[in-house]
Amino acid sequence: MIGFGIAGCGAISKAHIESILAIPDAKLVAVWNRTPERAQATAEKYGCRWVADLQDLVNDPEIQVVNVCTASGAHLEPAVAAARAGKHVLVEKPLEVTTARCDAIIRAAQEAGVKLGVVFPSRTAPGNQAIKAKVEAGHFGKLILAAVAVPWYRTQEYYDSGAWRGTWALDGGGALMNQAIHNVDLLQWFAGPVAEVKAYAECLAHERIEVEDTAVAILRFANGALGHILATTSLAPGYPVRIELHGTKGGLVKNGSDVYEWPGPDGAQEAPPPPPPAATRPAERSTASNPMALSFTGHQRIIEDMIDAIRKDREPLIPGPEGRKSVALIEAIYRAARTGTAVAVDG
Protein backbone atom coordinates (compact mmCIF):
# COMPACT_ATOMS: atom_id res chain seq x y z
CA MET A 1 0.00 0.00 0.00
CA ILE A 2 1.17 3.54 -0.81
CA GLY A 3 0.14 5.99 1.89
CA PHE A 4 -1.15 9.44 0.91
CA GLY A 5 -1.53 12.64 2.87
CA ILE A 6 -3.63 15.59 1.76
CA ALA A 7 -2.38 19.15 2.31
CA GLY A 8 -5.41 21.42 1.93
CA CYS A 9 -9.03 20.35 2.33
CA GLY A 10 -10.71 22.75 -0.08
CA ALA A 11 -13.05 21.83 -2.93
CA ILE A 12 -10.50 20.09 -5.18
CA SER A 13 -9.33 17.80 -2.37
CA LYS A 14 -12.49 15.75 -2.92
CA ALA A 15 -11.18 14.67 -6.35
CA HIS A 16 -7.90 13.55 -4.80
CA ILE A 17 -9.42 11.83 -1.78
CA GLU A 18 -12.11 9.92 -3.66
CA SER A 19 -9.57 8.87 -6.29
CA ILE A 20 -7.22 7.54 -3.58
CA LEU A 21 -10.08 5.63 -1.96
CA ALA A 22 -10.93 4.05 -5.33
CA ILE A 23 -7.40 2.69 -5.88
CA PRO A 24 -6.90 -0.74 -4.22
CA ASP A 25 -3.21 -0.23 -3.40
CA ALA A 26 -3.53 3.36 -2.17
CA LYS A 27 -4.35 4.38 1.40
CA LEU A 28 -5.58 7.75 2.67
CA VAL A 29 -3.58 8.26 5.87
CA ALA A 30 -4.15 11.83 7.04
CA VAL A 31 -5.26 15.32 6.04
CA TRP A 32 -4.13 18.82 7.03
CA ASN A 33 -5.67 22.23 6.47
CA ARG A 34 -4.77 25.74 7.65
CA THR A 35 -8.17 25.76 9.34
CA PRO A 36 -8.07 22.73 11.66
CA GLU A 37 -11.86 22.46 11.81
CA ARG A 38 -11.99 21.78 8.08
CA ALA A 39 -9.29 19.11 8.37
CA GLN A 40 -11.21 17.46 11.20
CA ALA A 41 -14.47 17.48 9.22
CA THR A 42 -12.74 15.99 6.18
CA ALA A 43 -11.10 13.27 8.27
CA GLU A 44 -14.40 12.34 9.90
CA LYS A 45 -16.11 12.17 6.50
CA TYR A 46 -13.51 9.92 4.90
CA GLY A 47 -12.31 7.87 7.86
CA CYS A 48 -8.70 8.99 8.20
CA ARG A 49 -6.60 10.95 10.68
CA TRP A 50 -6.22 14.73 10.69
CA VAL A 51 -3.37 16.89 11.93
CA ALA A 52 -3.24 20.54 12.93
CA ASP A 53 0.39 21.07 11.96
CA LEU A 54 1.79 20.69 8.45
CA GLN A 55 5.04 19.21 9.78
CA ASP A 56 3.07 16.41 11.44
CA LEU A 57 1.63 15.53 8.04
CA VAL A 58 4.89 15.52 6.11
CA ASN A 59 6.76 13.66 8.88
CA ASP A 60 4.18 10.87 9.17
CA PRO A 61 6.01 7.57 8.49
CA GLU A 62 2.89 6.00 6.97
CA ILE A 63 2.78 8.64 4.21
CA GLN A 64 4.85 8.24 1.04
CA VAL A 65 3.08 10.88 -1.09
CA VAL A 66 1.72 14.31 -0.16
CA ASN A 67 -0.99 15.69 -2.46
CA VAL A 68 -0.98 19.49 -2.38
CA CYS A 69 -4.56 20.80 -2.70
CA THR A 70 -4.27 24.26 -1.16
CA ALA A 71 -5.11 27.50 -2.98
CA SER A 72 -2.91 27.88 -6.05
CA GLY A 73 -0.66 30.55 -4.57
CA ALA A 74 -0.14 28.48 -1.41
CA HIS A 75 1.35 25.37 -3.05
CA LEU A 76 4.95 26.32 -2.33
CA GLU A 77 5.09 25.84 1.44
CA PRO A 78 3.53 22.35 1.70
CA ALA A 79 5.27 21.10 -1.45
CA VAL A 80 8.71 22.14 -0.23
CA ALA A 81 8.03 20.88 3.30
CA ALA A 82 6.96 17.50 1.94
CA ALA A 83 10.00 17.21 -0.34
CA ARG A 84 12.40 18.11 2.46
CA ALA A 85 10.75 15.44 4.62
CA GLY A 86 11.51 12.87 1.91
CA LYS A 87 7.96 12.55 0.60
CA HIS A 88 7.01 12.36 -3.05
CA VAL A 89 4.81 15.31 -4.04
CA LEU A 90 1.75 15.54 -6.28
CA VAL A 91 0.61 19.13 -6.81
CA GLU A 92 -2.82 20.17 -8.07
CA LYS A 93 -2.68 22.56 -11.04
CA PRO A 94 -1.09 25.02 -11.40
CA LEU A 95 2.25 23.97 -9.96
CA GLU A 96 2.41 27.50 -8.49
CA VAL A 97 1.36 30.96 -9.65
CA THR A 98 4.75 32.24 -10.83
CA THR A 99 7.69 30.54 -12.49
CA ALA A 100 9.92 31.63 -9.59
CA ARG A 101 7.70 29.75 -7.14
CA CYS A 102 7.50 26.76 -9.51
CA ASP A 103 11.29 26.72 -9.67
CA ALA A 104 11.54 26.67 -5.87
CA ILE A 105 9.32 23.57 -5.71
CA ILE A 106 11.22 21.85 -8.54
CA ARG A 107 14.55 22.62 -6.89
CA ALA A 108 13.39 21.28 -3.51
CA ALA A 109 12.24 18.01 -5.08
CA GLN A 110 15.48 17.60 -7.01
CA GLU A 111 17.62 18.30 -3.96
CA ALA A 112 15.63 15.81 -1.88
CA GLY A 113 15.63 13.15 -4.60
CA VAL A 114 11.84 12.76 -4.52
CA LYS A 115 9.33 12.59 -7.33
CA LEU A 116 7.29 15.67 -8.22
CA GLY A 117 4.14 15.36 -10.30
CA VAL A 118 1.61 17.96 -11.43
CA VAL A 119 -2.12 17.25 -11.83
CA PHE A 120 -3.30 17.97 -15.38
CA PRO A 121 -6.00 15.28 -15.82
CA SER A 122 -6.86 16.38 -19.36
CA ARG A 123 -3.60 14.88 -20.62
CA THR A 124 -4.79 11.43 -19.55
CA ALA A 125 -8.04 11.51 -21.58
CA PRO A 126 -7.94 8.91 -24.38
CA GLY A 127 -9.00 11.47 -27.00
CA ASN A 128 -6.21 13.87 -26.05
CA GLN A 129 -3.70 11.04 -25.95
CA ALA A 130 -4.79 10.15 -29.50
CA ILE A 131 -4.33 13.76 -30.68
CA LYS A 132 -0.82 13.85 -29.20
CA ALA A 133 0.00 10.60 -30.99
CA LYS A 134 -1.25 12.07 -34.29
CA VAL A 135 1.00 15.10 -33.89
CA GLU A 136 4.03 12.99 -33.03
CA ALA A 137 3.36 10.68 -35.98
CA GLY A 138 3.46 13.68 -38.32
CA HIS A 139 -0.13 13.33 -39.52
CA PHE A 140 -0.61 17.11 -39.40
CA GLY A 141 2.57 17.81 -41.32
CA LYS A 142 4.17 21.14 -40.47
CA LEU A 143 1.92 22.94 -37.99
CA ILE A 144 0.41 26.21 -39.22
CA LEU A 145 -2.16 27.15 -36.59
CA ALA A 146 -2.93 25.97 -33.04
CA ALA A 147 -5.74 27.54 -31.02
CA VAL A 148 -7.92 27.00 -27.99
CA ALA A 149 -11.07 28.74 -26.76
CA VAL A 150 -12.39 28.27 -23.22
CA PRO A 151 -15.68 30.24 -23.24
CA TRP A 152 -16.74 29.48 -19.68
CA TYR A 153 -18.80 31.22 -17.03
CA ARG A 154 -18.47 31.71 -13.28
CA THR A 155 -21.05 33.58 -11.24
CA GLN A 156 -20.26 36.51 -8.97
CA GLU A 157 -21.21 34.21 -6.08
CA TYR A 158 -18.39 31.86 -7.12
CA TYR A 159 -15.82 34.64 -6.68
CA ASP A 160 -17.44 35.86 -3.46
CA SER A 161 -17.39 32.34 -1.96
CA GLY A 162 -13.73 32.51 -0.93
CA ALA A 163 -11.48 35.43 -0.05
CA TRP A 164 -8.64 33.90 -2.09
CA ARG A 165 -10.66 33.68 -5.31
CA GLY A 166 -9.89 36.29 -7.92
CA THR A 167 -6.70 37.45 -6.18
CA TRP A 168 -3.22 37.65 -7.64
CA ALA A 169 -1.58 36.32 -4.49
CA LEU A 170 -3.56 33.09 -4.08
CA ASP A 171 -5.45 32.53 -7.36
CA GLY A 172 -2.47 33.68 -9.42
CA GLY A 173 -4.75 35.20 -12.02
CA GLY A 174 -8.24 34.73 -13.36
CA ALA A 175 -9.73 32.87 -16.30
CA LEU A 176 -6.29 31.96 -17.68
CA MET A 177 -4.53 30.74 -14.54
CA ASN A 178 -7.46 29.10 -12.79
CA GLN A 179 -9.95 27.85 -15.39
CA ALA A 180 -8.22 27.71 -18.78
CA ILE A 181 -4.85 26.41 -17.62
CA HIS A 182 -5.82 22.80 -18.39
CA ASN A 183 -6.34 23.69 -22.02
CA VAL A 184 -3.40 26.10 -22.16
CA ASP A 185 -1.36 23.10 -21.04
CA LEU A 186 -2.92 20.90 -23.73
CA LEU A 187 -2.27 23.47 -26.45
CA GLN A 188 1.45 23.75 -25.76
CA TRP A 189 1.65 19.95 -25.22
CA PHE A 190 0.14 19.37 -28.65
CA ALA A 191 1.84 22.15 -30.60
CA GLY A 192 5.14 22.61 -28.81
CA PRO A 193 6.57 25.53 -26.88
CA VAL A 194 5.40 29.10 -27.48
CA ALA A 195 8.14 31.61 -28.27
CA GLU A 196 6.28 34.93 -28.06
CA VAL A 197 2.87 36.37 -27.13
CA LYS A 198 0.76 39.52 -27.47
CA ALA A 199 -2.37 39.87 -25.37
CA TYR A 200 -5.27 41.69 -23.76
CA ALA A 201 -6.67 40.71 -20.34
CA GLU A 202 -9.52 42.57 -18.62
CA CYS A 203 -12.20 42.18 -15.96
CA LEU A 204 -15.38 42.89 -17.90
CA ALA A 205 -18.27 41.10 -16.18
CA HIS A 206 -17.46 40.66 -12.47
CA GLU A 207 -16.94 42.84 -9.44
CA ARG A 208 -14.57 42.75 -6.45
CA ILE A 209 -11.87 40.68 -8.14
CA GLU A 210 -8.32 41.73 -8.94
CA VAL A 211 -7.85 39.51 -11.98
CA GLU A 212 -9.14 39.04 -15.51
CA ASP A 213 -12.39 37.34 -16.44
CA THR A 214 -11.72 37.75 -20.19
CA ALA A 215 -8.41 37.30 -22.00
CA VAL A 216 -7.24 36.89 -25.58
CA ALA A 217 -3.68 36.16 -26.65
CA ILE A 218 -1.92 35.80 -29.99
CA LEU A 219 0.88 33.24 -30.04
CA ARG A 220 3.96 32.54 -32.12
CA PHE A 221 5.19 29.01 -31.52
CA ALA A 222 8.85 28.04 -31.58
CA ASN A 223 8.16 25.85 -34.63
CA GLY A 224 6.84 28.86 -36.57
CA ALA A 225 3.12 28.15 -36.21
CA LEU A 226 0.74 30.91 -35.12
CA GLY A 227 -2.12 30.56 -32.68
CA HIS A 228 -4.44 32.11 -30.18
CA ILE A 229 -5.98 31.56 -26.77
CA LEU A 230 -9.40 32.79 -25.63
CA ALA A 231 -10.14 32.32 -21.93
CA THR A 232 -13.14 33.68 -20.08
CA THR A 233 -15.36 33.22 -17.05
CA SER A 234 -17.70 35.90 -18.37
CA LEU A 235 -19.77 34.16 -21.06
CA ALA A 236 -23.06 32.91 -19.60
CA PRO A 237 -24.14 30.18 -19.54
CA GLY A 238 -20.73 28.72 -20.50
CA TYR A 239 -19.86 26.73 -23.62
CA PRO A 240 -17.67 23.72 -24.50
CA VAL A 241 -13.94 24.11 -25.03
CA ARG A 242 -12.85 24.33 -28.67
CA ILE A 243 -9.41 23.20 -29.84
CA GLU A 244 -8.01 23.53 -33.36
CA LEU A 245 -4.78 22.21 -34.84
CA HIS A 246 -3.98 22.74 -38.52
CA GLY A 247 -0.96 21.73 -40.55
CA THR A 248 0.19 21.27 -44.12
CA LYS A 249 -1.24 17.71 -44.23
CA GLY A 250 -4.53 18.19 -42.39
CA GLY A 251 -6.32 19.60 -39.42
CA LEU A 252 -8.38 18.89 -36.35
CA VAL A 253 -11.36 20.77 -34.98
CA LYS A 254 -12.63 19.58 -31.58
CA ASN A 255 -15.65 21.22 -29.94
CA GLY A 256 -16.20 19.67 -26.54
CA SER A 257 -16.14 15.95 -27.27
CA ASP A 258 -17.14 16.31 -30.92
CA VAL A 259 -14.27 15.98 -33.40
CA TYR A 260 -14.98 17.25 -36.90
CA GLU A 261 -11.67 16.56 -38.63
CA TRP A 262 -9.13 13.79 -38.04
CA PRO A 263 -5.95 13.71 -40.15
CA GLY A 264 -4.53 10.40 -41.25
CA PRO A 265 -1.10 9.57 -42.65
CA ASP A 266 0.06 11.19 -45.89
CA GLY A 267 -2.63 13.87 -45.78
CA ALA A 268 -5.58 11.47 -45.89
CA GLN A 269 -8.58 12.22 -43.72
CA GLU A 270 -9.81 9.49 -41.41
CA ALA A 271 -13.13 9.06 -39.64
CA PRO A 272 -12.89 10.90 -36.30
CA PRO A 273 -13.20 8.88 -33.11
CA PRO A 274 -16.73 8.61 -31.67
CA PRO A 275 -17.62 10.92 -28.81
CA PRO A 276 -17.82 9.57 -25.26
CA PRO A 277 -21.08 7.89 -24.19
CA ALA A 278 -24.03 10.24 -23.95
CA ALA A 279 -24.18 9.77 -20.20
CA THR A 280 -20.89 11.63 -19.75
CA ARG A 281 -21.68 14.58 -21.98
CA PRO A 282 -23.92 16.65 -19.66
CA ALA A 283 -21.06 16.75 -17.13
CA GLU A 284 -18.75 18.00 -19.86
CA ARG A 285 -21.07 20.91 -20.61
CA SER A 286 -21.75 21.71 -16.97
CA THR A 287 -18.08 22.23 -16.13
CA ALA A 288 -18.29 25.33 -18.29
CA SER A 289 -20.34 26.92 -15.50
CA ASN A 290 -19.79 24.66 -12.47
CA PRO A 291 -16.17 23.97 -11.44
CA MET A 292 -17.05 20.84 -9.46
CA ALA A 293 -19.19 19.16 -12.12
CA LEU A 294 -16.26 17.06 -13.24
CA SER A 295 -15.32 13.42 -13.41
CA PHE A 296 -12.51 12.30 -11.11
CA THR A 297 -11.29 9.72 -13.63
CA GLY A 298 -8.34 11.85 -14.73
CA HIS A 299 -7.26 12.47 -11.14
CA GLN A 300 -7.36 8.75 -10.45
CA ARG A 301 -5.16 8.07 -13.50
CA ILE A 302 -2.64 10.68 -12.34
CA ILE A 303 -2.49 9.17 -8.83
CA GLU A 304 -2.21 5.64 -10.21
CA ASP A 305 0.66 6.86 -12.40
CA MET A 306 2.44 8.30 -9.36
CA ILE A 307 2.18 4.94 -7.60
CA ASP A 308 3.62 3.21 -10.67
CA ALA A 309 6.38 5.84 -10.95
CA ILE A 310 7.40 5.19 -7.34
CA ARG A 311 7.46 1.42 -7.82
CA LYS A 312 9.38 1.57 -11.10
CA ASP A 313 11.57 4.52 -10.05
CA ARG A 314 10.67 6.62 -13.09
CA GLU A 315 9.44 10.14 -13.67
CA PRO A 316 5.70 10.80 -13.16
CA LEU A 317 3.53 11.37 -16.21
CA ILE A 318 3.69 15.16 -15.76
CA PRO A 319 6.87 16.01 -13.84
CA GLY A 320 7.53 19.40 -12.28
CA PRO A 321 9.39 21.01 -15.22
CA GLU A 322 6.57 19.97 -17.55
CA GLY A 323 3.96 21.46 -15.21
CA ARG A 324 5.93 24.71 -15.14
CA LYS A 325 5.42 25.32 -18.88
CA SER A 326 1.79 26.47 -18.73
CA VAL A 327 2.61 28.83 -15.87
CA ALA A 328 5.46 30.35 -17.91
CA LEU A 329 3.13 30.86 -20.88
CA ILE A 330 0.37 32.46 -18.79
CA GLU A 331 2.90 34.63 -16.98
CA ALA A 332 4.09 35.93 -20.37
CA ILE A 333 0.48 36.59 -21.47
CA TYR A 334 -0.15 38.67 -18.34
CA ARG A 335 3.05 40.63 -18.90
CA ALA A 336 2.11 41.25 -22.54
CA ALA A 337 -1.35 42.47 -21.50
CA ARG A 338 0.12 44.84 -18.91
CA THR A 339 2.80 46.30 -21.19
CA GLY A 340 1.02 46.24 -24.54
CA THR A 341 4.12 44.71 -26.11
CA ALA A 342 5.21 41.36 -27.48
CA VAL A 343 6.74 39.25 -24.72
CA ALA A 344 9.05 36.25 -25.00
CA VAL A 345 8.03 33.15 -23.04
CA ASP A 346 10.43 31.94 -20.36
CA GLY A 347 10.81 28.36 -21.56
Side-chain angles (χ1 to χ4, degrees):
M1 298 286 284
I2 300 294
F4 286 81
I6 302 294
C9 298
I12 199 61
S13 67
K14 179 180 179 181
H16 289 251
I17 291 170
E18 295 194 359
S19 295
I20 291 165
L21 295 175
I23 299 171
D25 46 357
K27 178 183 179 181
L28 178 64
V29 177
V31 299
W32 165 84
N33 195 74
R34 290 181 186 275
T35 306
E37 293 80 9
R38 176 170 281 187
Q40 183 176 9
T42 301
E44 290 173 353
K45 178 178 180 179
Y46 291 107
C48 68
R49 291 188 280 106
W50 68 277
V51 296
D53 190 286
L54 175 61
Q55 285 304 130
D56 290 337
L57 183 81
V58 301
N59 290 332
D60 192 314
E62 291 188 54
I63 293 174
Q64 286 80 53
V65 184
V66 172
N67 291 34
V68 178
C69 302
T70 57
S72 300
H75 287 172
L76 177 62
E77 180 189 4
V80 170
R84 289 176 176 169
K87 309 301 186 186
H88 304 294
V89 188
L90 194 54
V91 184
E92 180 60 41
K93 66 78 186 170
L95 178 56
E96 246 290 353
V97 298
T98 68
T99 52
R101 293 173 71 83
C102 290
D103 291 340
I105 295 174
I106 293 167
R107 185 165 55 250
Q110 290 172 340
E111 290 173 352
V114 299
K115 302 187 188 305
L116 171 62
V118 185
V119 180
F120 278 112
S122 296
R123 288 204 193 189
T124 73
N128 292 330
Q129 291 275 332
I131 293 170
K132 177 66 171 177
K134 287 280 183 183
V135 173
E136 292 185 341
H139 290 187
F140 290 89
K142 179 184 176 182
L143 283 177
I144 298 169
L145 182 75
V148 65
V150 185
W152 283 4
Y153 180 63
R154 295 292 182 265
T155 64
Q156 184 64 46
E157 288 73 22
Y158 163 83
Y159 286 107
D160 291 341
S161 67
W164 67 276
R165 295 193 185 279
T167 66
W168 286 109
L170 291 177
D171 223 352
L176 277 165
M177 187 67 82
N178 189 311
Q179 285 78 26
I181 193 169
H182 290 286
N183 292 286
V184 171
D185 173 71
L186 282 180
L187 187 67
Q188 61 84 29
W189 186 53
F190 292 150
V194 176
E196 187 180 73
V197 300
K198 297 181 179 180
Y200 290 96
E202 305 285 348
C203 181
L204 301 177
H206 294 91
E207 300 175 345
R208 298 182 295 282
I209 64 173
E210 302 170 358
V211 298
E212 87 289 351
D213 62 14
T214 307
V216 291
I218 304 299
L219 318 176
R220 181 172 61 81
F221 289 85
N223 57 22
L226 300 179
H228 62 82
I229 294 170
L230 163 68
T232 82
T233 55
S234 57
L235 301 186
Y239 304 92
V241 172
R242 181 180 178 92
I243 294 176
E244 296 194 38
L245 297 173
H246 300 280
T248 54
K249 291 185 178 180
L252 172 134
V253 178
K254 184 171 182 280
N255 195 50
S257 296
D258 296 313
V259 179
Y260 299 104
E261 301 290 341
W262 195 247
D266 302 320
Q269 287 295 120
E270 296 180 345
T280 69
R281 294 168 70 80
E284 170 192 282
R285 175 61 185 267
S286 63
T287 54
S289 58
N290 179 359
M292 295 313 298
L294 77 164
S295 165
F296 298 158
T297 302
H299 280 77
Q300 183 172 332
R301 292 186 187 121
I302 293 283
I303 294 170
E304 288 171 339
D305 174 80
M306 176 59 90
I307 293 171
D308 189 67
I310 293 169
R311 289 177 172 165
K312 295 180 179 176
D313 193 22
R314 62 166 176 81
E315 283 285 279
L317 179 66
I318 308 168
E322 190 68 17
R324 178 190 190 275
K325 292 178 179 178
S326 53
V327 177
L329 175 51
I330 291 172
E331 200 172 53
I333 291 172
Y334 286 151
R335 195 178 309 121
R338 287 195 302 269
T339 63
T341 62
V343 170
V345 179
D346 172 14

